[in-house]
Amino acid sequence: MTVLDKLTSEEAIALENNYGAHNYHPLPVVLSRGEGVYVWDAEGKKYYDFLSAYSAVNQGHCHPKIIDAMVQQAKTLTLTSRAFYNDMLGKYEKFATQLFGFDKLLPMNTGAEAVETALKLARKWAYEVKGIDENNAEIIVCENNFHGRTTTIISFSNDPVARKNFGPYTKGFIKIEYDNLQSLQEALESNQNIAAFLVEPIQGEAGVYVPSEGYLAAAKKMCAAHNVLFIADEVQTGIARTGRLLATCGNCSCEEKNCSGTPEVKADILILGKALSGGAYPVSAVLANNHIMDVIQPGNHGSTFGGNPIAAAVAMAALEVVADEKLAINADALGIIFREELAAFANENDLVKSVRGKGLLNAVLINDTEESSTAWDICMKLKDNGLLAKPTHGNIIRFAPPLVMNKEQLMDCISIIKKTITEFK
Ligand code: PLP
């Protein structure tokens, strides 16, 4: 078997099952090609992608501008490590810091690495700038969070499947209820050693929980009053997914430009990943101003691949596509239609309880228990009908298509979803 041999879906699944660790439970569909909002399986069947690789493919599959940038750079220079300078990283750092309104960027590869980086940065800042005694810093996190899979990150997860038998866990985290300002206030007041508050602007993996209006802004204000850093994990919500360049932009309406304008909430530390590369390459980043980022000095932190020239070229192209194609505006408009249509459908169909979300990050709640397999079974039927989505729980389906979708395609998808659920037994 060579790398160019074509496999049937059955063969591909058998190979993964036999030779790959079983750390995922994929829907049984084998994808072999993608373009824009569409993917094709090994037998050539076409589907709408309504997951976008967990919001990494916001710019659509194989966006020509992003792929061109990647191929061009791959033919020129791929990796130098940070032992030397390369002529792409600085350009990208200037571009991204200006776009998001921060002094500096620290480049990493995956979302979890960027979260780890932000946690290390916050702790170091707490000891060296805030003056907390060494090893006493605490970071406030939220219940039902999802920030990745490293040992430290799962230490403050409350998902038993993600945690069990991976201990001993990293200390130094205080968990509070999401969307509860009172809990945050109490946590901030009860402890002098708080370095930071780490929060997802919308809890994606938990089932697309959108916090109350004004929660993030009020939380940021409380943190500022206690000299505590506000860390926004926008790995999933960022890069136009929620109808704004960042979910923390709130209701600021950058009508024409792809800019963070005057965001509702300006994080002290911003974490980006996933769609920062349009799904073409693992690229993540941590952004902060100098008074925070400057605590990191040579030797304190790094990654062989972080900031490599391909990543820099791809990220710049991916961010340009978001601006050129006004993807935030499109996500905002299509998201409104999606929720209106599904909310009306929920009124007439007993299986659908409600729909919630922002922009094109939405979840449909199914009228069954969290332990049921109904959401999975519906996703299997959606697959048969040409649309790929994935449950986040037994009774929640996340719907997050590429943001390059047009209205006609969205309406087609809505009718597939309605038809599938109507016929579901
Ligand atoms: N943070 C958030 C909010 C996420 O949703 C995810 C992934 O889903 C991560 C971090 C981890 O990103 P990665 O899977 O690239 O490590």
Side-chain angles (χ1 to χ4, degrees), residues 14 49 182 209 266 350 366 372-373:
D49 178 2
Q182 178 73 25
Y209 281 98
K266 177 77 189 287
D350 288 344
I366 303 297
S372 73
S373 66

Side-chain angles (χ1 to χ4, degrees), residues 315-368:
M316 263 194 289
L319 290 170
E320 278 170 3
V321 167
V322 172
D324 293 349
E325 302 187 15
K326 298 186 174 33
L327 296 186
I329 293 167
N330 194 46
D332 196 29
L334 294 194
I336 291 168
I337 297 171
F338 183 84
R339 286 185 298 281
E340 274 174 7
E341 289 281 335
L342 269 293
F345 180 61
N347 286 335
E348 63 199 45
N349 187 295
D350 288 344
L351 204 53
V352 177
K353 223 184 207 170
S354 59
V355 57
R356 65 179 175 223
K358 220 168 179 190
L360 283 176
L361 180 58
N362 293 293
V364 166
L365 276 72
I366 303 297
N367 221 341
D368 208 330

Side-chain angles (χ1 to χ4, degrees), residues 8 52 63 104 135 140 144 164 197 206 208 215 255-256 271 298 303-305 311 350 354 356 369 371 379 401 411 416:
T8 64
S52 308
H63 193 290
K104 287 199 167 68
N135 293 328
I140 303 173
N144 301 322
K164 188 156 166 44
F197 173 46
V208 189
Y215 167 69
E255 288 301 333
E256 297 302 326
I271 308 170
S303 151
T304 302
F305 279 86
D350 288 344
S354 59
R356 65 179 175 223
T369 61
E371 296 69 38
C379 287
M411 296 314 290
I416 294 173

Side-chain angles (χ1 to χ4, degrees), residues 64-86:
K65 180 168 175 169
I66 301 172
I67 300 304
D68 279 353
M70 184 162 76
V71 170
Q72 201 51 42
Q73 189 58 45
K75 287 180 176 170
T76 313
L77 181 69
T78 58
L79 182 65
T80 58
S81 82
R82 300 287 303 281
F84 311 114
Y85 289 89
N86 72 64

Side-chain angles (χ1 to χ4, degrees), residues 264-280:
E264 190 173 283
V265 185
K266 177 77 189 287
D268 297 302
I269 301 178
L270 172 67
I271 308 170
L272 298 174
K274 295 190 191 253
L276 187 54
S277 73

